[in-house]
Amino acid sequence: MRQGMSHSARSAMFAPLGQVGRAEAVAARLVDAITLGLLADEEQLPSEADLAAQFGVSTVTVREALVALRQQGLVETRRGRSGGSFVRTPANPPADVWRERLQEVSLSDLRDVGDHYLAIAGAAAKLAAERSSPEDVERLRLATDDLRTARGIDFTRAERQFHLEIAAAAQSPRLTHEEVHLQAELGGLLWLPLGGDAHPHEEHAAITAAIASADGDLARKLTEEHLLGALDRLADVHLDLLTP
């Protein structure tokens, strides 16, 4: 899979935290960066001092966050002259892990977050069609290509990266930050490889084509339809899990 994300997507992930302190908040941001694909497997993290400066927290807070990530197997610390903290991309989680996570979310909460996501993603697609550069469109095409052969957790990452690229192409730091936040809250479930009759690669290609042709209304419509399809499939799985 293609590695690397647009600068604005990474910047949103590493923006200063709203509240100084709390190692949990730093750890959550880094977990999102790893699972969203903003940080590649084996990529070296910035130093503790640099991370502290980026997040606006103390080095002690960053150190505590890195300890938590090491315990989760998402970061490996190496000693020596070429040492540091390195990303360890998680392998495919067992299917029952995703089922347990989905069972913990109520259907009403799923719909509520889904409505919020529809509003944000639809607006981002419309603005991307109006503001994107040729480089942005090329990134969307590359992200679309990633979905051709993606399977398992790579499928989830490809979907999430595509929507992050749309938000970045909208040239709105607030929208990009909101997309990152919603991805962290819902993306891991929304883009589960659930199968069905959907053809996400074709849907991505159509959205990208609408953005490339500067058709904001069509880009928004296609993005909302794409998300509604994913939400409907997830709701069906949720109901099946609750059925005795």
Side-chain angles (χ1 to χ4, degrees):
M1 174 174 286
R2 175 182 58 88
Q3 299 292 350
M5 293 290 295
S6 58
H7 174 72
S8 53
R10 290 179 68 106
S11 296
M13 181 62 69
F14 290 101
L17 296 170
Q19 300 180 26
V20 175
R22 294 188 49 195
E24 295 86 354
V26 176
R29 283 277 189 91
L30 291 173
V31 168
D32 291 342
I34 294 170
T35 58
L36 289 171
L38 296 177
L39 295 173
D41 190 37
E42 296 293 324
E43 180 175 344
Q44 184 172 6
L45 292 175
S47 68
E48 291 179 357
D50 288 342
L51 284 173
Q54 290 178 31
F55 285 123
V57 299
S58 69
T59 55
V60 172
T61 296
V62 169
R63 196 168 299 129
E64 292 176 1
L66 291 176
V67 168
L69 264 65
R70 282 195 292 272
Q71 292 173 345
Q72 296 177 52
L74 297 176
V75 166
E76 176 186 16
T77 299
R78 302 173 189 170
R79 307 296 179 186
R81 294 171 59 183
S82 59
S85 295
F86 295 82
V87 171
R88 296 292 302 274
T89 301
N92 288 344
D96 58 349
V97 172
W98 294 115
R99 285 196 294 267
E100 289 173 4
R101 285 190 61 189
L102 187 53
Q103 284 177 311
E104 293 171 355
V105 181
S106 70
L107 191 57
S108 60
D109 285 344
L110 194 62
R111 287 172 175 163
D112 187 44
V113 177
D115 288 343
H116 188 182
Y117 199 2
L118 276 170
I120 296 300
K126 186 175 188 301
L127 288 175
E130 298 169 356
R131 301 175 178 176
S132 61
S133 67
E135 292 77 13
D136 292 327
V137 172
E138 180 60 22
R139 280 188 171 276
L140 286 171
R141 287 178 175 142
L142 290 172
T144 296
D145 288 342
D146 283 345
L147 204 63
R148 285 182 184 274
T149 58
R151 297 291 183 272
I153 197 170
D154 285 339
F155 172 91
T156 301
R157 289 196 185 106
E159 276 281 12
R160 297 171 79 170
Q161 287 186 3
F162 177 75
H163 292 283
L164 278 169
E165 293 291 2
I166 290 178
Q171 309 298 331
S172 169
R174 286 182 179 272
L175 270 180
T176 304
H177 185 272
E178 194 67 16
E179 173 72 27
V180 169
H181 173 75
L182 287 167
Q183 287 271 11
E185 187 170 3
L186 183 65
L189 294 175
L190 182 62
W191 303 122
L192 287 175
L194 300 176
D197 298 327
H199 300 283
H201 175 265
E202 287 81 358
E203 293 174 2
H204 283 206
I207 293 168
T208 299
I211 291 173
S213 62
D215 192 336
D217 290 336
L218 180 59
R220 182 171 198 156
K221 176 177 178 291
L222 292 173
T223 299
E224 290 175 347
E225 290 175 350
H226 178 59
L227 289 168
L228 282 170
L231 285 165
D232 286 345
R233 290 190 296 276
L234 190 59
D236 288 342
V237 173
H238 185 276
L239 290 173
D240 287 343
L241 290 174
L242 297 180
T243 301

